[in-house]
Amino acid sequence: MVQEIESNVIQLNEIIWNRDHKNILNCISWKVNKGEHWAILGLNGSGKTSLLKIITGYQWPNKGQVSVLGNVFGKTNIPELRKKIGWVSTSLDEKFHSRPSDTAIEVVLSGKNASVGLYEEITENDIEKARELLQQFRISDLTNQAFSSLSQGEKRKVMIARALMASPSLLILDEPCNGLDLYSKEDLLSTIEKMAQSAEGPTLLYVTHHIEELVPSITHTLLLNKGNIIANGQKKSVLTEELLDKTFGLPISLGWEDERPWIRIKSKNRV
């Protein structure tokens, strides 16, 4: 049976995961509480995706204990638990390529049962909720338009609305701005910011290697490098030039504007 403990969203204790005799995650201990929204930052290959797969039960650690929404892995029904977790990534978009005629609202409705396509009964209440989500993301005019014909930014909004269709307690946004132009990226970030401000919304994990995407509602940050935690905690205490240097392997200059962090690479010639 799947339960949900209000204050405990994620608890990882000394997680180790290796592949081909190489540690991908090294003794990871991390806690996420209700009311927090986390960014996970790191270069490609830092362990971000492996961490997400362990949290969602698609990958099992070699050592350590995992608890998600108060459910200890090994003592809970993982497929049932996944119904409480929304995961949005560009790889999910690709699963709909074989269904070019599906409309935006059909894609959103498919999120109720986490299916690609509609195979189970859909109620009038489901349709009403899907319409409300499309309106929330300011894309109600795309309701009956083919998903395959939408822009990348529009597709990303539809996929986030799809993830919210099942009213998840935890929402993972895995590099949601990947491939978007500047306007589409800022438009999507504005939408995510409004969603994160809602007291009734899910706990958010925002995964990226672009620090400027961290909107004000992101409260905490986890920094990863080569499977190791560099730092984790409240956003402004973790996002320092020294810790970012260790995370990205470059000398970084950090600034803040409108409660968002911005970085540039320091000149190597600077003394």
Side-chain angles (χ1 to χ4, degrees):
M1 180 178 178
V2 172
Q3 60 176 338
E4 185 169 345
I5 297 176
E6 190 70 17
S7 62
N8 186 358
V9 180
I10 297 171
Q11 178 81 54
L12 304 181
N13 293 322
E14 300 183 350
I15 296 299
I16 294 175
W17 185 71
N18 59 60
R19 182 178 57 206
D20 300 328
H21 307 293
K22 178 184 177 182
N23 277 6
I24 307 301
L25 294 174
N26 299 307
C27 206
I28 299 292
S29 293
W30 179 43
K31 185 176 181 180
V32 175
N33 295 312
K34 182 74 173 177
E36 299 172 350
H37 296 307
W38 282 76
I40 303 175
L41 289 173
L43 296 170
N44 291 338
S46 62
K48 300 190 301 296
T49 299
S50 296
L51 187 66
L52 297 183
K53 288 182 177 179
I54 285 175
I55 290 169
T56 51
Y58 288 107
Q59 199 163 267
W60 212 259
N62 301 96
K63 294 182 180 180
Q65 187 180 70
V66 181
S67 174
V68 176
L69 300 173
N71 298 271
V72 178
F73 284 24
K75 300 179 181 180
T76 193
N77 185 324
I78 297 296
E80 284 297 312
L81 177 61
R82 287 193 193 118
K83 294 179 181 179
K84 296 179 177 290
I85 303 173
W87 191 350
V88 177
S89 68
T90 53
S91 61
L92 185 58
D93 296 10
E94 295 169 1
K95 294 184 177 181
F96 286 88
H97 288 175
S98 61
R99 304 182 60 85
S101 63
D102 281 6
T103 63
I105 194 169
E106 288 173 335
V107 171
V108 174
L109 286 166
S110 72
K112 178 186 177 183
N113 297 299
S115 59
V116 179
L118 297 176
Y119 304 102
E120 300 184 34
E121 181 182 359
I122 297 297
T123 68
E124 286 298 323
N125 286 339
D126 294 332
I127 294 173
E128 180 62 26
K129 181 175 182 178
R131 291 186 183 280
E132 288 175 358
L133 285 167
L134 288 166
Q135 185 173 12
Q136 176 185 333
F137 286 93
R138 305 190 307 276
I139 49 173
S140 56
D141 56 316
L142 305 176
T143 297
N144 297 311
Q145 191 166 324
F147 179 74
S148 59
S149 70
L150 305 182
S151 70
Q152 288 301 315
E154 291 167 344
K155 285 180 178 178
R156 216 56 50 79
K157 287 185 178 182
V158 169
M159 295 307 285
I160 297 175
R162 176 184 181 274
L164 293 174
M165 187 68 195
S167 300
S169 300
L170 175 64
L171 177 60
I172 300 170
L173 300 182
D174 188 3
E175 299 190 20
C177 294
N178 188 31
L180 301 186
D181 61 36
L182 182 61
Y183 178 87
S184 298
K185 180 172 75 171
E186 289 302 317
D187 183 50
L188 180 62
L189 290 174
S190 174
T191 302
I192 292 170
E193 169 70 0
K194 290 179 181 177
M195 177 184 67
Q197 289 174 348
S198 172
E200 299 176 356
T203 297
L204 182 65
L205 298 187
Y206 190 97
V207 184
T208 184
H209 46 255
H210 295 291
I211 191 173
E212 71 277 3
E213 294 176 9
L214 273 57
V215 294
S217 289
I218 298 291
T219 59
H220 291 68
T221 304
L222 171 69
L223 300 180
L224 289 175
N225 180 282
K226 296 180 180 179
N228 297 293
I229 291 182
I230 300 299
N232 72 99
Q234 292 190 349
K235 180 173 60 178
K236 285 200 173 182
S237 67
V238 169
L239 295 180
T240 67
E241 292 183 354
E242 179 182 1
L243 292 174
L244 290 172
D245 286 356
K246 293 179 180 179
T247 301
F248 295 109
L250 288 168
I252 285 174
S253 175
L254 172 70
W256 292 83
E257 185 174 344
D258 297 329
E259 291 301 306
R260 282 172 62 181
W262 300 84
I263 62 172
R264 63 178 179 83
I265 308 303
K266 292 179 179 177
S267 172
K268 293 181 179 180
N269 297 323
R270 184 172 297 172
V271 177

